[in-house]
Amino acid sequence: MHTWTVTCDPAHAADVAGTAATELDAVVAGTAALRRLVRATHRFGEQSPFVNLVIDARPRIGLSAGPGTVTDAVERIDRYEYDAALAAAVNDSILARAPP
């Protein structure tokens, strides 16, 4: 299993696989990493290892590509990125307006 972790808090950068300024940045960076992991670890005819995206210590998406193709896994990542990016943009917008 491969886990890619992104945090929105750069203060903890030494403990994670990536950092992001906003939740939207975290979604984009995390999904790009999952695409790379799926493509890099897939062996034709074999089951690919499970890949998992964690943002700020919360599991977001996990998947495994079936034997023969990574297309379905990448399409799932694309759909997740679209839906999560919309939600993250709303969250970022709300948090940006919150008083300190």
Side-chain angles (χ1 to χ4, degrees), residues 13-100:
D15 302 327
V16 296
T19 60
T22 65
E23 187 175 345
L24 180 57
D25 293 336
V27 168
V28 172
T31 53
L34 282 188
R35 284 187 197 93
R36 286 192 306 271
L37 283 171
V38 166
R39 289 184 178 119
T41 59
H42 182 73
R43 301 293 176 257
F44 187 76
E46 296 178 14
Q47 189 75 22
S48 290
F50 186 79
V51 293
N52 183 42
L53 170 63
V54 176
I55 297 176
D56 284 343
R58 294 181 310 245
R60 292 299 184 95
I61 185 175
L63 58 102
S64 180
T69 181
V70 298
T71 304
D72 290 339
V74 173
E75 286 176 2
R76 237 177 101 192
I77 294 169
D78 292 344
R79 282 194 308 272
Y80 165 78
E81 181 178 27
Y82 176 78
D83 293 341
L86 291 176
V90 170
N91 287 346
D92 289 338
S93 176
I94 290 169
L95 292 174
R97 289 190 224 143

